[in-house]
């Protein structure tokens, strides 16, 4: 589709971390490909999910007091794969949900950087949902990326305290605290687990109103961020995470002309409560209109 000009979105593939050597044999490094189709690197899985009580936590689940979750990939195997893939120059992203999974993964990333030497590697933690406060600054120290999906906060916020309690929830989905710690945020949807619409994610990051309507002022409102910060995480933050900030992520002369036209000015403070109701009027990719809203 890309060769024939029929592709209307840009795709960044990730190979399984376990197959890093196959990617290395192909000569793939970070940001390999063209403007429409790239092989961005590899992705692994540290633990499970909060919903299934398989996220790896330091302390037991409230609803399952004998369980602290599971390692989807054994810690030593993850260490082996990350160090090897990083040594080969491949961009590494790893799914981590629980606070222990995130802490151990940050340790592994720090070791890889120390052992393999200085490089612009941009390690990514996919989700980074439940963190200990002492781990917030480690993202900036590593030059790593917290690749997060804001919609999960308003979805999971309906029941998360029943799984891990309010204290751990207070440091979860910590968009505000991570920004204060100078971490790089890259926002996305986690579709098809969550809705794909970015405006719903921006609304979630800004207002944090759970889907059950029980937190109209925001679930742990201290973690709210501004509309501008949320948009930046969805645009230049995500471009940076994929080593693509040179040609996308901002409306700058010389970059790819990828943008949307909205029905409302979401940056207007008066529109803060109406972000989720904003419509996409048109979508432009590479200077070409690929979608127009019908009246």
């Amino acid at each position: 589709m890309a060769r024939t000009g029929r592709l209307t979105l840009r795709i960044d593939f990730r190979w399984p971390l376990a197959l890093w050597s196959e990617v290395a044999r192909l000569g793939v490094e970070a940001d390999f490909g063209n403007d429409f189709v790239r092989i961005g690197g590899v992705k692994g899985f540290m633990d499970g999910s909060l919903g299934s009580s398989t996220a790896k936590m330091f302390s037991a689940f409230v609803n399952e007091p004998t369980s602290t979750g599971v390692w989807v990939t054994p810690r030593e195997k993850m260490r082996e794969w990350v160090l090897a893939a990083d040594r080969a120059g491949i961009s590494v992203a790893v799914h981590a949900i629980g606070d222990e999974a995130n802490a151990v993964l940050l340790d592994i990333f720090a070791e890889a950087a120390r052992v393999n030497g200085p490089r612009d590697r941009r390690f990514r933690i996919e989700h980074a949902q439940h963190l200990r406060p002492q781990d917030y600054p480690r993202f900036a120290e590593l030059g790593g990326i917290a690749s997060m999906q804001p919609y999960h906060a308003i979805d999971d916020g309906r029941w998360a305290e029943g799984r891990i309690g309010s204290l751990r929830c207070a440091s979860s989905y910590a968009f505000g605290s991570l920004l204060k710690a100078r971490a790089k945020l890259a926002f996305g949807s986690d579709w098809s687990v969550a809705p794909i619409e970015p405006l719903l994610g921006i609304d979630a990051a800004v207002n944090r109103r759970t889907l059950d309507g029980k937190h109209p002022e925001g679930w742990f409102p201290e973690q709210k961020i501004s509309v501008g910060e949320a948009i930046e995480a969805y645009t230049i933050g995500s471009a940076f995470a994929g080593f693509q900030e040179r040609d996308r992520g901002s409306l700058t002369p010389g970059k790819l002309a990828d943008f949307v036209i909205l029905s409302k000015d979401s940056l207007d403070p008066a529109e803060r409560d109406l972000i989720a109701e904003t419509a996409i009027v048109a979508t432009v990719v590479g200077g070409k209109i690929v979608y127009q809203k019908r009246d």
Side-chain angles (χ1 to χ4, degrees):
M1 291 180 71
R3 289 192 186 105
T4 58
R6 293 181 294 130
L7 199 57
T8 59
L9 75 166
R10 304 188 192 277
I11 298 171
D12 187 320
F13 286 107
R14 290 258 158 183
W15 251 243
L17 175 58
L19 302 180
W20 71 267
S21 60
E22 293 184 9
V23 180
R25 279 198 297 271
L26 291 171
V28 171
E29 295 186 355
D31 191 29
F32 178 89
N34 58 35
D35 288 343
F36 271 96
V37 181
R38 300 179 187 231
I39 299 176
V42 292
K43 180 188 175 184
F45 288 83
M46 199 78 186
D47 63 343
S49 68
L50 187 67
S52 61
S53 299
T54 54
K56 195 71 182 76
M57 310 295 294
F58 280 108
S59 301
F61 287 90
V62 172
N63 61 311
E64 295 186 28
T66 61
S67 173
T68 60
V70 301
W71 297 109
V72 169
T73 304
R75 296 167 60 164
E76 279 307 307
K77 183 58 69 175
M78 179 62 71
R79 175 182 174 275
E80 174 191 332
W81 287 343
V82 169
L83 265 66
D86 179 67
R87 191 178 305 117
I90 300 169
S91 173
V92 177
V94 178
H95 160 120
I97 300 284
D99 55 9
E100 185 177 12
N102 277 279
V104 170
L105 184 56
L106 286 166
D107 289 343
I108 292 172
F109 284 166
E111 181 183 0
R114 185 174 65 253
V115 170
N116 294 333
R119 181 167 62 82
D120 182 12
R121 42 181 45 91
R122 306 184 195 182
F123 281 134
R124 284 164 61 174
I125 296 186
E126 297 298 329
H127 310 302
Q129 280 187 5
H130 309 288
L131 301 170
R132 301 177 304 175
Q134 62 262 44
D135 289 325
Y136 298 153
R138 300 180 68 194
F139 285 86
E141 292 165 6
L142 282 168
I145 312 291
S147 177
M148 307 178 79
Q149 301 76 35
Y151 192 88
H152 288 319
I154 63 171
D155 189 356
D156 299 0
R158 296 172 297 166
W159 45 262
E161 290 177 72
R163 300 291 174 94
I164 58 173
S166 60
L167 182 61
R168 283 183 286 184
C169 283
S171 62
S172 298
Y173 315 92
F175 316 129
S177 292
L178 283 164
L179 281 181
K180 288 176 184 175
R182 302 183 182 277
K184 289 276 189 182
L185 298 185
F187 281 170
S189 69
D190 204 21
W191 182 82
S192 59
V193 176
I196 200 169
E197 292 88 349
L199 286 167
L200 296 182
I202 292 171
D203 175 71
V206 170
N207 294 309
R208 292 180 72 98
R209 295 176 296 214
T210 53
L211 299 179
D212 56 13
K214 292 183 178 180
H215 298 87
E217 301 304 316
W219 184 59
F220 295 99
E222 63 274 14
Q223 295 297 351
K224 291 180 180 180
I225 62 176
S226 71
V227 177
E229 289 167 335
I231 291 173
E232 184 172 318
Y234 264 104
T235 54
I236 194 67
S238 290
F240 181 84
F243 293 85
Q244 297 168 10
E245 74 277 10
R246 296 181 303 278
D247 57 15
R248 64 192 76 187
S250 63
L251 297 175
T252 306
K255 290 191 176 185
L256 299 169
D258 298 345
F259 59 92
V260 295
I261 300 171
L262 305 180
S263 63
K264 301 177 182 180
D265 179 6
S266 296
L267 290 169
D268 183 344
E271 297 292 333
R272 183 185 180 102
D273 290 332
L274 303 172
I275 298 169
E277 300 172 22
T278 303
I280 305 294
V281 176
T283 301
V284 177
V285 177
K288 297 179 180 179
I289 296 174
V290 298
Y291 166 80
Q292 281 186 292
K293 184 178 182 295
R294 295 181 180 178
D295 294 329

